[in-house]
Amino acid sequence: NIYSSDAVAAMNHLKRLQKQARGDKVLQRRLEAVMIKLGRVVKDGVHLLNAKNVALALNAAAYREGFDDLFDVSATRIQELMETDMSIRTQSLAMIINAFARRRMFPRNLYESIATYAQRIPPDEYNAQSVAIFLNSFSKSPFSSSPILDYLAIVTQHLDRSAWDTQSTALVLNSYARLNRREEEIFEAFVPIILSFGMSDFSSQNIANIVNAYAKVGMKEEKVLKHMKQAVLFLQSSRCDSQAVANILNAYSRLEMYDQELFAHLNKMATEISTSKFSSQAIANILNANAKVGNKDMKLFSHFSRFITSVGHAPRDASAVDEDSDNDDDSPNFSSVGKLVYDTQAIANILNAFSKLEIKDETIFNHFEGLILSTPDDKWEAQALALVLNAYAKLDLGSYEVFFRLFHVVKTMKAGNTNAQAISNIVNAMAKTELKDKELLDMLKERILDRDPSDFSAQSISSILNAYAKLEEMDEELFCFLSRITQSLPAHMFQPQAIANIVNSFIKAEIEDEKLFSFLSSLALTIDPSAYNGQAIGVIANAYIRKAEIDRPLFSFLNSVATTLSPSSFEPQNLALIANAYSRFEIFSEHLFHFIFEMILCTSFSASDFQNIAVLMTAIVKVEMFDDDPLAVDAMRYLARMLRRITPETSNPHALGNVIFAYSKFLQLVDRDGEEEELEKEDDPSSIFSHLAFLTCHLTPSELDPSSFTLLLSAFTRANYFDEELAVFFESVGVLLPLDQFDLTIMASILHTISRSSFFPTSKIPSYFSSRIKETSALAFNGQNLVLITAAYAKSDWKDELLYEHLVQVGCELPSSEWNGQSCSNYLNALARLNELELLERSRMEQAFRHLSSIICSTPVHLYEGVFDAQNIAIITNAFARMDINDRRLLEHLSLIVQQMHPDLFDAQATSNIVHAYMRLDVEEETRKYLMDFMAVVILFLDAQSDFNAQAISNIVNAFAKLDQVDVKVFEHLAFAAQLIPLEDFNAQAVANILNAYSRVQKDLSDQDCHVDIDALFLHLASAAKRIDPLLLDIQNVANVMNALARATLRDVDLVRHLFKRVAIALEEEEPMEAQAASNVMHALAVLDIRDDALVRQACQMVSRIRFLGDEDQGIANICWSSAVLQIDDQHLLEWCRRTASSRIHEMSWTCLRQVHQLLLTLELDRLLPPGVSVTQSLHDLLYADAAGEEKISLPAPSKGGGRGRAASETMSWEQLVRAAATNLVLCALNETGVTLTSNQPLVSISPSTARQALYSRFLSEVTSSRLQTDVVDHMEQLGVTCTEEFIDLSVGYSLDILMPSLGCALEVDGPFHFLLNSYERSGSTKMKHRHLEQIGYKFHAIPFWEWPKVGPSEEKLAYLRQILRNLSSSSDELSGKVAMHLKAREEFEAALLHNKSRRKAVDCGSKTYHRRERALSKVAEQREEVEDEQGGMYELSLDYSIEDAGDRKPRKKTKRSKQPVEDDEAWSPSYDPFESGLSQSRISSHDPA
């Protein structure tokens, strides 16, 4: 009973009234039932309806289920009407096609028929509404043919502006945008139309469609967008729907137009609109839009997070509603049970928004886990899945189940469904989570290789490469494929970040592609600088800096771009990357680093920036701009303050180690003198190191590995910062780390560090490592770790013979390729220390020395560069010296290498070690001479003001002096350097060595017109010695300095008293004394004639404390001689001298015997010997037995071992000692002058004449003269006085400078060396000689050198001598008789010389100024043939013996050196040289046997 047309009207009325049934389920069901009945009526009577009614019916049923049959019959009816009725209005056709589009029904015939019909309608019959609906419908269909769209474009432009309203305008623009028709003239034509509308004309949906249209076509029409902003601000939340808000926000974000006011207003409306009006897609779009522009509106996100998690979720079967839908009806937002309906894209967009803004809302991510796991595989699209993976990965949320579930879904997708962008997101998520699925990666790689290159963008390529590099999937095929695509892409597709990721990935993968890097470098230079940010610059710079060749144009460009960026462009990580790259010397820029310092000072670092702070501090220290740019210091201190923000939770061991290294070096580089008081408390280094130590101690063993443990240990050691807690931490953690995790290199580094630190005196770590090292095969070692391990154990005095045997064996097995100069030197140095500590059998170490010697010698001299440097050679030679291994081949080889080097390659330490070693070792004289000459040049190259230290100077001058290499310039240079060294920098040994050396060469320097102020140098050294705390000295130090003072004849009583403070301590604590130390101290007091009772008494006590004498003959002799000089009458000391001299008298050298003889002579003259015991008589009896009628004298035969007689079996009496001393003097003289005494009997016989000549020859060899003495003799002869120079009294062993036999008196000429330094006071030995001569009965006058030059011309000198002669009286008759006897002995000696003149030249004996007869004899001898070698010169004295030339006598065999460090080598050791123990030969009078 209802007409079909009435049914149509009813359906339209009900459609408009349906909102009233919302919320009333009963009413909704009744409404749907009525609509279905009416639809049936319309369907049955559709053939009676006109076009308008059909359009209204379809419009009412468009969104309802169950009306498909109505649409089918309506399509047929419309086609019939279009064939017969040419008056169908455009409005009806528009409504019909719009209904089919909403229904998502697209019958091709119908669409084509309507399109054809619409083009026949004249433009005048169209209105804006119909055009809008037509375009909107065709834009949604798959049949949007170009002719109808072109026609509608003409119609659009034909319509008057006034015909348009906001609804139609929005639909038209949105349709053209959806159709991707970017006709600018159409969009520009609508600008004035849009601007003509008032704010109240726009609905939220209209605004959304308009801005969305412009966004889709990418047109930033600022006038329109600003107008739309005002329209939005005019809107109230009550007039907005959720989809419109979402679309507006989405449009502005797509255009990258972030307006804070606009977004704040829209976000506020979103939170005010009823949540029931939101679809999941609308929520996703709102959140995603804010995320795109970086607007972190926590109120908005929290609002939707609460809403989403409170209503639950349900999957959607149908596709999501279009984001720009223009319908008036609400789409189905909720399921039947009141839960939000989601599709996968909505899930992806929501989660992606949270992850982009780094809003770690665990609640919402956990909420979606269930939905993700329950969503069927076929409902996922690749892009949505990729976004979900990335969101969970970026925020480190989600269970493994979620990731592996989605990985599984990817594997089930068809290859065509995964485009390049989706693949990049998937692998990127895998890289972030480090959940490596090898099967999936291989599958995605194949899909990448199968895709068309046009599917890739620069961004997708960069993401893929970056992910595969992070996952360590360095597939060269994949990388090369993507490299080729990259180079084919147009330049406009690249952004700096994409370039950064690509180059960084190739660097990580270690795949070289020079062509790609060159392409990207050129491309980077063309990109607008404004497109760069700090992140891109940092990554690109770090990637290109790791290439072999530096791309200077690129770095220059990045430098200029970086300095134009605002501080907001830089995150801490960006600054760290840039600073790290540009700290390289090749591209270093002061301007850039100044900019970086400014950025640092305005950057707020958080606890999570620890790694970035570490990188920045390391880079700043590396460029060392602290002196040039004050901001560098400020930046470093600012970063140090930021370290206080680091907590144990945010620290990591590697960053800690790097920070400690950098900060400690900063403190070393910055001159903080005078600034300490100005530093704020928070800048105090100790508090900063304390915080770093706190962070370190809170690390757990699980956070450390051997590498990080080593880094931290080395860092704190270098910083020299340790406290008890820190030391305990390293001790405990070191032995908790699994031993099998340590390789040899790491163990070597740890052991090396521990051995250098004083904070691990009893470390357990060496013991922990030793078992592992002993079990390690030699094949696992290399030169570097072997050296470090050996040196570390040696330095720590670790006792483990099996370990050392293993290390030596490894050293002998290592091939030569493992050794270089550095490793050889350090290894040998370690072995030398092991030898000194007696930790390993010497023969094993000698084997290693021989092995390395052959390796060193295999390096050709001309190819030394890159193998040896000066320091290496210094350590090697020093090691051989310490081991006392005389490898002449090695030493000659190294000498040649040294002479190939440029002098400026040497430092003072290396120089001192080399010359010291070549002084100690037995080297060919020619080799040594050439080397020392070269080292003299090296020394002069060194800067006296800055290059030397006290120890180096002491070693160098000591070596040159001992080798008699008196290079004036060297000694001048080093004397100047020594006086520039602060007093506090000297130690006792350095003072002693320098004093000894310069006193040894002082006469030679003065003869060569040296400009060294020796006196000033000695005073400087004495002042330095006084500053040394006695408690820091040992007795050997005291002895060495005293010995040096004696050599220098520097009488500084205050210094001596200062040194004796240490002696007093030793005596009080009853320390045992070494013979050498006690003898040197006593000897120095004697030479310097220091007779202070307290000091002498302490010296005597030192002698009484000597714990062991052994074969210390020289020490015994020195003490005896010193007792004589000082006239000590201490019975305990004299008894000690008698006892010890008795035990060694038959083994003593000539020098020692002379010193003992002088003690005995002193005791005789001072009447301290027993009555009837006479020293002079004992010698007289031996030498002048023929005067008593005896033709021969009997002497004890030498022992088979070469000694002079039997060893003492018991202590001798004074009388026995006197006779033994006299006998051994004669024996020693005979031995040293070449007499051969052999006999099977205990006694041998020899003529007294032979004994006299031998003894005379030996005494004469000690004689020296001077120009001053010659001048005095010449003037005496002008006075008519006959003089005999150097008259020798054989019975007492003294030589008188000038004897005047006719007057019965003598003259002593005391030159400068008879006096103490800077004093007119005679030395102790000179005073003793004068005392003895007086006691014997000689009448003499001593002429001091400082008086003789003052007397002026020759006449005045003669007058001076006449006055002396008037004051002298003749000697006694008894003494005159002795003089005659000694003169006769002299004549015998001269006769022997003349008898042998045809065979050899005469003995020089150290003097050219004998009596005229002696000089004549010498000249005759010098004219003899010189064919034979000088060193072997002999001349016969009698038929039964011959003597060796005294001036060229061979040195005695050296006694074994005592084990002492290098710096103690100057200490006394027995030798044939009488001056080795304390006195310089050039500074001692001719008669002094010491």
Side-chain angles (χ1 to χ4, degrees), residues 1110-1113 1116 1140-1148 1204 1208:
D1111 57 354
E1112 297 281 2
D1113 295 350
I1116 296 169
T1140 54
S1142 299
S1143 66
R1144 298 294 303 171
I1145 194 71
H1146 295 297
E1147 303 299 325
M1148 284 186 177
R1204 289 180 300 280

Side-chain angles (χ1 to χ4, degrees), residues 92 113 581 595 620 625 672 693 855 873 977 1001 1005 1125 1236 1345:
S92 299
S113 298
F595 174 78
I620 295 172
M625 288 178 60
R672 297 176 60 243
I855 291 175
I873 294 176
V1001 300
L1005 292 177
V1125 173
T1236 303
F1345 74 95

